[in-house]
Amino acid sequence: KDPEKAKKQNITIAASFGATKDVIFENSVTETLDPNYLIGSGDEIIVMLWGQTEFNQSYVVTKDGYLFIENIGQVFVNGLTLSRLEKKLFNLLKKVYSTLDASSGNATTYLDVSLGTLTLRPIRIHAVGEINNPGAYELKQSSTLFSSLFYFRGPSEIGTMRKIKLIRKGNVKATIDFYDYLLNGQRKNDIKIMTDDVVFIGPKGPVVSAFGEINRPAKYELKPDESLKDLIKMAGGLKSSTYTKRVKINRIVPSFERDALNADRIIIDISIDDITPSNESFKLIDGDEV
């Protein structure tokens, strides 16, 4: 195999973000809203009474954060959760509809408060670090840390895909490894995005090339604790035609070791058969070509 030709044919995993529409990986829009969702300007509130008194009306929160309800007047609702809003409206409405109040006997009118379809205000977050398009983004309510990456096209060429952080109010709320999804179909540690969250992508870790008699030749980013065995697994395993007695590793010698070795590049030969059955692992470093 021609190593140079093989490397040119490789496509880095980061290209997964390239021509992807940001809505493809969103969660279903029919899912319920976060119970901690804070009501704000433009939200639609539906107030319904049933039983002895029947009433069904929708209201839109004004830009100042108020609802205007007949027989009650202006009600400030900005920043309330749905449960707190329902409690507040109950205390106001029972003064008008006495059958709501169970303190004087059994209640014969019942209240339900819900959010209407207009409650689709986008979530505003910030994406910073080693990404292609840093800045502020408006995401859908159903967005998660995972799906948010497609809005700003993921990390840049020097950004990590193995340690993507969600920072909320100065604290790291979650960290995801995008390889879990690309290689195993799993979305571990994925959580919903909230307003003013920060998605931070740091610089990538060691990158190693794998080519030859292997199922998925490409460049792979490794975590500090990952070894040759992990690289082989990421690359889809060995082909049936692979000669396991000799794996060649072209290595750029780290600068602090060059004087001792009197070389800036070395070639290492290793047998996979010597490490696979045991707990031993062969460590790889940044720039290795396997």
Side-chain angles (χ1 to χ4, degrees):
K1 298 281 185 178
D2 180 358
E4 291 302 320
K5 183 178 179 180
K7 285 188 286 184
K8 289 179 181 179
Q9 293 174 341
N10 291 343
I11 300 175
T12 60
I13 293 180
S16 304
F17 295 105
T20 307
K21 292 184 178 180
D22 48 34
V23 297
I24 290 179
F25 289 90
E26 287 291 0
N27 290 335
S28 171
V29 296
T30 60
E31 65 179 351
T32 57
L33 288 171
D34 190 322
N36 295 319
Y37 176 80
L38 300 179
I39 294 168
S41 174
D43 284 345
E44 181 183 17
I45 309 298
I46 299 175
V47 179
M48 182 170 63
L49 297 176
W50 78 94
Q52 186 172 335
T53 302
E54 293 188 356
F55 177 88
N56 191 339
Q57 185 65 49
S58 65
Y59 305 91
V60 176
V61 181
T62 67
K63 63 180 181 180
D64 298 321
Y66 287 91
L67 295 179
F68 184 83
I69 301 177
E70 298 85 346
N71 301 320
I72 293 179
Q74 286 196 123
V75 181
F76 187 72
V77 300
N78 189 60
L80 297 179
T81 61
L82 187 61
S83 59
R84 289 180 61 192
L85 173 63
E86 185 168 12
K87 186 175 181 179
K88 183 172 185 175
L89 292 181
F90 179 84
N91 291 330
L92 293 172
L93 288 169
K94 73 179 182 181
K95 298 176 182 178
V96 179
Y97 304 99
S98 58
T99 52
L100 265 175
D101 192 358
S103 60
S104 57
N106 293 327
T108 55
T109 299
Y110 306 94
L111 170 69
D112 180 74
V113 179
S114 59
L115 300 176
T117 56
L118 294 181
T119 306
L120 296 173
R121 289 186 294 117
I123 299 172
R124 187 176 177 84
I125 69 160
H126 297 271
V128 295
E130 304 297 341
I131 66 175
N132 290 312
N133 300 294
Y137 288 83
E138 291 189 343
L139 280 60
K140 292 187 176 183
Q141 288 286 342
S142 60
S143 297
T144 66
L145 175 55
F146 167 86
S147 62
S148 71
L149 302 179
F150 293 90
Y151 282 80
F152 48 85
R153 299 296 181 259
S156 67
E157 185 177 350
I158 62 172
T160 182
M161 299 184 71
R162 309 300 306 274
K163 195 175 181 181
I164 299 171
K165 298 179 181 179
L166 176 68
I167 301 173
R168 182 173 297 162
K169 296 180 179 179
N171 299 314
V172 177
K173 187 70 175 180
T175 302
I176 63 171
D177 180 352
F178 203 77
Y179 274 27
D180 285 334
Y181 174 74
L182 292 175
L183 301 179
N184 305 310
Q186 299 177 339
R187 293 170 59 168
K188 295 179 180 178
N189 302 325
D190 194 24
I191 65 173
K192 276 192 171 184
I193 293 283
M194 296 182 67
T195 299
D196 292 331
D197 280 352
V198 175
V199 177
F200 177 76
I201 299 179
K204 68 169 57 174
V207 175
V208 175
S209 301
F211 55 90
E213 295 301 298
I214 200 162
N215 286 313
R216 192 164 48 233
K219 293 181 179 180
Y220 295 90
E221 180 186 355
L222 300 183
K223 289 182 175 180
D225 58 342
E226 291 177 332
S227 64
L228 177 59
K229 287 194 292 184
D230 298 300
L231 176 66
I232 293 171
K233 184 177 180 181
M234 290 179 196
L238 304 174
K239 293 183 177 181
S240 58
S241 56
T242 305
Y243 180 66
T244 59
K245 297 293 184 181
R246 181 171 183 254
V247 176
K248 184 173 74 172
I249 301 171
N250 296 322
R251 171 168 295 179
I252 299 174
V253 179
S255 58
F256 58 87
E257 296 181 2
R258 291 175 185 174
D259 289 340
L261 295 175
N262 195 28
D264 58 359
R265 292 176 181 268
I266 58 174
I267 295 178
I268 302 172
D269 287 332
I270 188 170
S271 170
I272 295 177
D273 294 339
D274 291 340
I275 64 171
T276 301
S278 68
N279 293 325
E280 297 177 4
S281 61
F282 183 83
K283 301 297 292 184
L284 299 170
I285 65 173
D286 189 33
D288 278 356
E289 295 178 346
V290 182

